[in-house]
Amino acid sequence: EVTGFVLKRTMQRWGLNTYLYGPKDDLKHRLLWREVYSPEEEVQLRTLILEAQSRGLRFVYALSPGQDIVFSSACDLTLLKRKLRQVSDLGCQAFAVLFDDIDHSMCQADSEVFSSFAHAQVNVTNEIYRFLGEPPVFLFCPTEYCGSLCSPSVSKSPYLQTVGEDLLPNITVIWTGSKVISRKLSVECLAEVESVLQRPPLIWDNLHANDYDSRRLFLGPFKGREPQLRRHLRGLLLNPNCEFEANYIPLHTLGSWYRVGKEEQKVANALDECEECDYCPDRALSTALHDWMEELNQPLQAGEKHFDLVLCLYLLKEEREGRDGERKRLNPPSQANYQAPPSGGSRGQKTQGRVICSGKGLLSESQVRLLVGLHYLPHEHGPSAQKLLQDLTWLKSNCHLVSANTKKTPPQKVDEWRGRASRFLSLCEDIAQLHCSVVGGANRAVLYDLYPYVWDLRNTALMAKAFICWLGCGKTTGADLLGVESEPWVFKGGVSGEVQMLLPIGSSSELFSHPPPLFPTSRLYNIRPYHSKDKVTQGGQESSMAHPDIIGDRCLGPCLALCPEYSFILEDELGVCGCVLGILDVRSFAKRCQATWIPAMKDKYPPKGAYFDDLIQLMEEDQGEYPDSLLYHFPSQLRLDALPELVDISVSRTLLTALLNALKANGSQGVFCEVQPTDRQRLEFLTKLGFLEILRGEARSREGVVLGRLL
């Protein structure tokens, strides 16, 4: 249901005059199109129609029978008439019949009656149009609704030629442009289709539609459409984002475009050039953003403005103008805890350079510009997104300047890399702060519409930041840094997807695709490589009674001492709250343990009682041998001894993925992890990340489950 508040505050304000009802979640719109509405549904639909009309808006009812209609069936035609007559009796005076995204083939019965698929569609559409009394607005969406779907081409398409010749002239044909999502629309590109259809088309514009990619959102301005188009169209329809709150700028700028077109038409005959009659997307964006700021910071609760998320809002010219015009436990309590050194802040205090985000605050204009720039348009990124991708690409391509294998690199080159890295990390921190502000903002309606996208990008930026920090430590050998190179927009996910594909394990989609937490949290996190100044704190009552370092030495010590470059630390506003450890080559690591670590532990914990007598034996078992058949495919290991317990489990996933990036970057082809069979939560956690069970109870003397995944 669309409330009067929505209709008045959005469509009327910006000159939008038509609302088309065609939601995918109304099963009686497409899948169950033959069924009439129940009395309760009639009441809702009538209310919607009358509400639109009371606001001076044309209500268009759309029906999509094309998936299973038998065009030659008198029964199907009767059911189609019955359905549309029911809607007409509710007060609707404008209709659309849609045959998009269906199979071109005809059933045997239709093939015996109609000479082509186009003839079948046109015949039924014309009959329905006459049955409804030839309403002033009647739309027809062809199966070939854009240039890329026409066979063999727009001008030579037999399907479009039949539509143009046989469809009644007052029926309007829908067209999306050269593509389903057209980057540009010009007068020239419409001339060909207008000639074939023998009428000006009505543009169904998918520029801001995001229903085809759950990770993309389009907040940029209406762009790439010349205002002069208005004189060559029956109308223009904007198919917006599924999320209502995301459509403020698209609809606002669409209204600006429409008004500029009207002014341009007024002065065209006088040949008067007026700067205000030129539509400028950037200028329209600034105006819309300024107006949106007030609404963004209003204390509006989710539910006060409700909008059917898959409806389309339209700008439609008057026909008379014609051609002229979740809280969940992830892991058991950590066996060892980390604490940052005094210079970096400790738990219980604010960490330098980061602030605690809590409560409801205001989104700043710079943050909203960042938000829009990161979620711009299908074929174009905003300035902030361009900068993010360009810097990440450059830093990755030039990481040899700070690599451990590089000698005698000119200092100015190193400074250039580190300066650009600093700017990249700063932008990642701005994204984290943006996420924090959206979660803590006063407008909860905006939060619940935009949160999944801001949260997804926050996680991706967190991971990219950790990767660049790791490169800056000079730990990479450059074995496998390139990730997947491709032209922009080939991969799904928008900016998040493109950043993902620049990382070494970017092609592993299961590491990046997961739902947002049930309970949004504004906590700020940071993932960074382990530093030698980090230290292990007291690990619990048992260890304090015997020796304060026992648990840390047993669980974390070998990795931190022998391969610290594969240890990543998780921090929140209060300090360090978790870590994940990795081993690049388990074979060589085991040899080094026996040669250096175990002797050091024997010196540190000399035999003096049963507890210490068994300690060294347990440490040796921890570093026990794994079968060659395992290590051949999975040479690396990860250890989850200190993963945190978080409301947002995606942070743990991001922490683990940061480690996998480092292992992959230095040549690892596979990684495994050993988990106790009773630890169901950790087993589930790894399984969702693409780990599969390899061994059970065969790896070492303990009964453990070994899970592995290829990188």
Side-chain angles (χ1 to χ4, degrees):
E1 180 182 347
V2 180
T3 67
F5 179 83
V6 173
L7 295 170
K8 183 177 180 180
R9 291 286 302 274
T10 57
M11 299 180 67
Q12 276 191 313
R13 184 192 305 177
W14 301 317
L16 309 180
N17 60 18
T18 300
Y19 174 86
L20 186 142
Y21 179 88
K24 292 183 175 67
D25 59 354
D26 179 354
L27 296 181
K28 294 180 180 179
H29 156 71
R30 183 181 287 264
L31 183 63
L32 304 178
W33 64 268
R34 294 177 176 87
E35 298 186 14
V36 295
Y37 291 105
S38 67
E40 294 78 13
E41 292 168 335
E42 278 190 333
V43 171
Q44 294 179 359
L45 191 54
R46 185 194 300 273
T47 302
L48 187 58
I49 293 170
L50 295 177
E51 181 66 32
Q53 293 174 349
S54 70
R55 303 291 177 183
L57 302 171
R58 179 185 291 111
F59 183 94
V60 181
Y61 178 83
L63 199 66
S64 297
Q67 286 186 328
D68 60 355
I69 188 175
V70 178
F71 294 96
S72 58
S73 168
C75 179
D76 270 2
L77 188 57
T78 299
L79 293 174
L80 184 57
K81 291 177 178 179
R82 181 184 69 163
K83 180 66 166 288
L84 294 177
R85 171 60 71 188
Q86 180 191 31
V87 178
S88 177
D89 290 343
L90 296 177
C92 183
Q93 302 172 359
F95 301 88
V97 178
L98 312 179
F99 293 109
D100 57 312
D101 302 329
I102 59 174
D103 189 358
H104 279 72
S105 61
M106 289 192 294
C107 65
Q108 182 64 31
D110 287 342
S111 299
E112 294 174 356
V113 176
F114 300 108
S115 60
S116 70
F117 193 46
H119 280 104
Q121 291 182 359
V122 167
N123 181 77
V124 168
T125 302
N126 286 342
E127 184 163 348
I128 292 298
Y129 176 63
R130 294 190 185 103
F131 169 77
L132 292 172
E134 300 188 2
V137 174
F138 194 90
L139 313 181
F140 168 80
C141 183
T143 305
E144 294 183 2
Y145 56 82
C146 67
S148 62
L149 295 179
C150 293
S151 178
S153 66
V154 173
S155 61
K156 297 180 180 180
S157 166
Y159 175 92
L160 287 188
Q161 289 173 359
T162 299
V163 171
E165 293 170 0
D166 296 347
L167 192 69
L168 292 174
N170 288 330
I171 297 177
T172 299
V173 180
I174 292 172
W175 186 254
T176 66
S178 59
K179 305 283 186 182
V180 177
I181 306 169
S182 298
R183 183 169 188 168
K184 292 184 178 180
L185 293 174
S186 63
V187 173
E188 290 75 19
C189 78
L190 296 177
E192 184 179 29
V193 69
E194 181 178 350
S195 174
V196 176
L197 294 177
Q198 301 183 29
R199 73 202 74 199
L202 180 145
I203 293 296
W204 178 303
D205 202 330
N206 288 311
L207 183 65
H208 291 90
N210 69 334
D211 54 353
Y212 57 90
D213 189 345
S214 61
R215 297 178 67 188
R216 299 200 73 176
L217 191 70
F218 303 115
L219 304 178
F222 191 70
K223 189 174 183 180
R225 285 86 176 109
E226 301 173 359
Q228 297 89 338
L229 287 178
R230 186 177 182 277
R231 299 196 300 272
H232 302 272
L233 298 174
R234 288 273 181 92
L236 189 143
L237 305 75
L238 182 65
N239 190 9
N241 294 279
C242 293
E243 297 78 10
F244 175 76
E245 296 294 343
N247 292 311
Y248 191 99
I249 289 175
L251 295 180
H252 191 292
T253 55
L254 172 63
S256 298
W257 176 88
Y258 183 59
R259 289 191 298 273
V260 166
K262 291 177 67 175
E263 292 300 319
E264 185 181 72
Q265 187 171 352
K266 290 179 181 179
V267 301
N269 294 332
L271 300 177
D272 184 18
E273 295 184 1
C274 174
E275 182 179 351
E276 293 183 358
C277 293
D278 293 332
Y279 175 74
C280 174
D282 291 338
R283 187 165 62 237
L285 172 62
S286 295
T287 303
L289 194 146
H290 179 270
D291 293 346
W292 196 27
M293 288 296 302
E294 297 182 12
E295 194 162 305
L296 281 174
N297 291 314
Q298 290 296 319
L300 183 68
Q301 295 301 311
E304 291 184 28
K305 287 169 63 177
H306 179 72
F307 180 72
D308 196 329
L309 297 183
V310 291
L311 301 183
C312 297
L313 288 174
Y314 301 101
L315 172 67
L316 182 62
K317 291 180 62 178
E318 295 292 335
E319 285 294 325
R320 58 183 170 78
E321 293 184 9
R323 298 186 61 173
D324 296 330
E326 123 194 84
R327 183 164 186 84
K328 175 181 175 183
R329 287 177 60 92
L330 172 65
N331 298 302
S334 301
Q335 294 178 329
N337 299 314
Y338 268 88
Q339 179 175 331
S343 60
S346 61
R347 291 198 67 77
Q349 300 174 348
K350 284 196 258 185
T351 304
Q352 185 176 1
R354 291 181 290 142
V355 296
I356 296 177
C357 259
S358 60
K360 293 179 174 58
L362 299 179
L363 279 162
S364 67
E365 183 171 340
S366 62
Q367 286 183 316
V368 179
R369 286 191 176 276
L370 174 63
L371 176 68
V372 173
L374 293 169
H375 304 89
Y376 203 64
L377 291 172
H379 305 96
E380 181 182 355
H381 292 311
S384 49
Q386 293 178 29
K387 180 175 177 54
L388 186 76
L389 293 168
Q390 290 169 359
D391 283 348
L392 178 58
T393 301
W394 187 91
L395 289 167
K396 187 186 67 170
S397 301
N398 292 276
C399 66
H400 61 276
L401 298 174
V402 292
S403 171
N405 295 337
T406 303
K407 297 181 179 179
K408 298 181 180 179
T409 302
Q412 62 271 23
K413 291 292 185 181
V414 176
D415 291 342
E416 180 184 5
W417 193 95
R418 299 203 178 281
R420 198 153 179 173
S422 178
R423 292 190 294 271
F424 177 82
L425 300 182
S426 178
L427 181 54
C428 290
E429 290 173 0
D430 289 342
I431 294 173
Q433 288 283 357
L434 172 64
H435 169 269
C436 172
S437 296
V438 169
V439 174
N443 193 318
R444 311 313 284 168
V446 171
L447 163 64
Y448 287 105
D449 272 0
L450 304 188
Y451 176 71
Y453 303 97
V454 178
W455 166 85
D456 180 38
L457 191 54
R458 185 282 306 260
N459 288 345
T460 306
L462 192 62
M463 191 184 308
K465 180 183 176 185
F467 180 62
I468 294 302
C469 286
W470 181 77
L471 290 179
C473 294
K475 305 298 184 182
T476 177
T477 61
D480 195 356
L481 269 178
L482 294 182
V484 179
E485 301 290 349
S486 179
E487 292 297 321
W489 312 295
V490 170
F491 302 103
K492 287 191 173 184
V495 175
S496 290
E498 290 187 44
V499 170
Q500 165 191 330
M501 300 310 295
L502 288 170
L503 300 174
I505 57 169
S507 59
S508 302
S509 59
E510 69 276 8
L511 296 174
F512 299 87
S513 300
H514 41 93
L518 184 61
F519 303 105
T521 172
S522 60
R523 179 172 295 181
L524 282 169
Y525 292 101
N526 181 48
I527 296 174
R528 62 170 175 81
Y530 166 80
H531 301 316
S532 58
K533 61 184 179 180
D534 296 319
K535 61 181 180 179
V536 181
T537 64
Q538 183 169 305
Q541 183 178 2
E542 178 188 11
S543 64
S544 63
M545 292 175 59
H547 193 290
D549 296 341
I550 284 180
I551 292 182
D553 282 342
R554 180 182 173 187
C555 300
L556 311 177
C559 292
L560 298 182
L562 302 179
C563 52
E565 63 270 28
Y566 301 106
S567 300
F568 284 85
I569 303 299
L570 176 68
E571 301 172 307
D572 62 11
E573 300 100 327
L574 301 178
V576 177
C577 57
C579 72
V580 64
L581 312 174
I583 300 167
L584 180 65
D585 187 339
V586 172
R587 283 196 183 94
S588 62
F589 177 80
K591 293 177 181 178
R592 293 171 64 195
C593 276
Q594 290 297 326
T596 60
W597 179 254
I598 296 300
M601 292 299 98
K602 288 180 179 179
D603 292 339
K604 185 172 183 177
Y605 303 108
K608 54 176 181 179
Y611 188 89
F612 288 103
D613 289 342
D614 297 334
L615 178 61
I616 301 302
Q617 181 180 353
L618 291 173
M619 288 185 174
E620 290 178 332
E621 291 177 358
D622 289 338
Q623 312 307 324
E625 295 184 358
Y626 291 94
D628 290 339
S629 59
L630 171 68
L631 298 181
Y632 179 80
H633 295 286
F634 307 95
S636 303
Q637 183 181 14
L638 64 88
R639 298 187 176 183
L640 308 178
D641 294 307
L643 270 183
E645 192 177 322
L646 302 170
V647 172
D648 186 352
I649 10 181
S650 69
V651 178
S652 293
R653 300 171 67 117
T654 305
L655 176 63
L656 179 60
T657 307
L659 170 59
L660 299 183
N661 271 315
L663 294 172
K664 175 71 172 177
N666 276 353
S668 176
Q669 299 302 310
V671 61
F672 72 91
C673 182
E674 188 171 4
V675 182
Q676 291 303 302
T678 55
D679 194 346
R680 295 185 179 275
Q681 290 168 333
R682 199 162 294 188
L683 287 170
E684 180 184 0
F685 173 68
L686 291 171
T687 301
K688 288 181 177 179
L689 291 176
F691 283 79
L692 300 175
E693 183 176 324
I694 308 298
L695 299 171
R696 182 181 287 265
E698 301 175 15
R700 295 187 272 185
S701 58
R702 295 199 308 256
E703 292 293 326
V705 178
V706 176
L707 297 93
R709 67 158 290 153
L710 298 175
L711 298 179

